[in-house]
Amino acid sequence: MIGYQSVGCGPSKIVMLHDWLGDRTTYEPILPYLDEARFTWVFPDLRGYGLSRHLEGFSLDQAVADLTELADHLGFGSFAVAGHSMSGMIALKLALALPERVTAVVLAAPVTAGGLDLDDGTRAFFESVAVDQSACRNIVAAVTGNRYGDVWLDHKARRSRETATDAARSGYLKNMLLGGGFADELAGYTTPTLVVTGAHDADGFREADVRDKLGPAAGSRFETIHEAGHYPMQETPVRYAALLHDFLS
């Protein structure tokens, strides 16, 4: 089974999924601001990341199967799921797979059900990000508005290498993010959803772009954090935690 960290012991269960370039520790800045009496917060590591670094099988279907197994193991009859960037796809797919159990979805700077539609040059760049620390540094700069300087960029690039394998990043990119997606399945999507975007994020991840890509799910609640880019849980942790509490309550 995939590894995870659990925080709190409240009756409402929340599964918090990490992004392509980091493991569950990306959420560490919000931990002091989470309500542990009302909620149980579970932070899994996808295969190839963090506590699941030793596991292979980097695909959307495998991620959904792993999270279903984890929810069963934890005894979660119903739960909410939050996805960040890459794992926005996973959160949406999980909600479609378990419509009677997933009560709400939160999407932060999400890749949506259609995946990434990239031209050849951008695709090659993303492939380099998966295996090259310098390219990773460049993409982090781009999705945070080039606002934070070298220390931040070095930290993010280094943590990406420390917390995941090249095979995992390359595998999820090939098998999920560039795999064509499942946008046609959203026709009947009705799960209450909060979409959080950052004003300083890159093209494709801002509110207008995400509304476009969500299609039938575009009736979701949207919140733009004006001081954040792609990492609201790190850039504006108090605000992001407050949005989670407000929506999930």
Side-chain angles (χ1 to χ4, degrees):
M1 192 172 64
I2 58 174
Y4 66 94
Q5 175 186 4
S6 184
V7 174
C9 56
S12 296
K13 319 299 185 184
I14 320 296
V15 177
M16 305 285 291
L17 306 178
H18 61 77
D19 70 314
W20 183 46
L21 297 180
D23 67 352
R24 74 192 189 287
T25 61
T26 301
Y27 285 104
E28 284 183 347
I30 71 169
L31 296 185
Y33 313 113
L34 296 178
D35 187 332
E36 298 183 19
R38 285 191 296 164
F39 300 96
T40 298
W41 309 87
V42 174
F43 300 86
D45 281 321
L46 299 174
R47 288 171 178 253
Y49 291 79
L51 299 171
S52 308
R53 191 184 176 101
H54 60 292
L55 298 176
E56 299 182 350
F58 314 121
S59 70
L60 178 60
D61 288 343
Q62 184 63 66
V64 169
D66 287 339
L67 293 167
T68 302
E69 179 185 28
L70 177 61
D72 291 345
H73 168 76
L74 294 170
F76 290 180
S78 62
F79 58 96
V81 60
H84 173 219
S85 193
M86 171 184 80
S87 63
M89 286 188 79
I90 301 171
L92 287 168
K93 187 70 172 180
L94 187 64
L96 290 169
L98 303 175
E100 304 303 318
R101 297 179 67 182
V102 176
T103 57
V105 171
V106 178
L107 303 174
V111 176
T112 56
L116 295 174
D117 183 16
L118 306 178
D119 59 43
D120 289 346
T122 308
R123 182 185 183 121
F125 172 63
F126 269 75
E127 289 170 347
S128 71
V129 170
V131 297
D132 180 75
Q133 187 161 327
S134 177
C136 177
R137 193 179 186 279
N138 290 339
I139 200 171
V140 171
V143 298
T144 53
N146 291 285
R147 296 179 304 140
Y148 297 131
D150 290 340
V151 174
W152 158 260
L153 297 177
D154 291 342
H155 168 76
K156 289 294 289 181
R158 183 176 64 253
R159 286 297 293 159
S160 179
R161 268 54 210 165
E162 291 171 350
T163 59
T165 65
D166 289 354
R169 286 185 297 270
S170 296
Y172 285 115
L173 179 65
K174 177 182 178 182
N175 301 326
M176 185 171 72
L177 296 175
L178 301 176
F182 54 95
D184 56 326
E185 297 179 34
L186 285 180
Y189 183 86
T190 59
T191 307
T193 301
L194 168 67
V195 182
V196 180
T197 57
H200 295 279
D201 208 335
D203 291 344
F205 293 102
R206 299 190 190 106
E207 181 176 329
D209 303 311
V210 177
R211 281 185 184 275
D212 239 14
K213 294 173 182 177
L214 276 172
S220 310
R221 172 181 162 186
F222 282 79
E223 294 280 352
T224 291
I225 301 180
H226 294 285
E227 297 305 316
H230 200 68
Y231 298 95
M233 64 289 299
Q234 293 183 301
E235 297 173 78
T236 54
V238 178
R239 177 62 178 150
Y240 187 57
L243 287 173
L244 290 172
H245 291 147
D246 179 62
F247 177 71
L248 295 171
S249 297

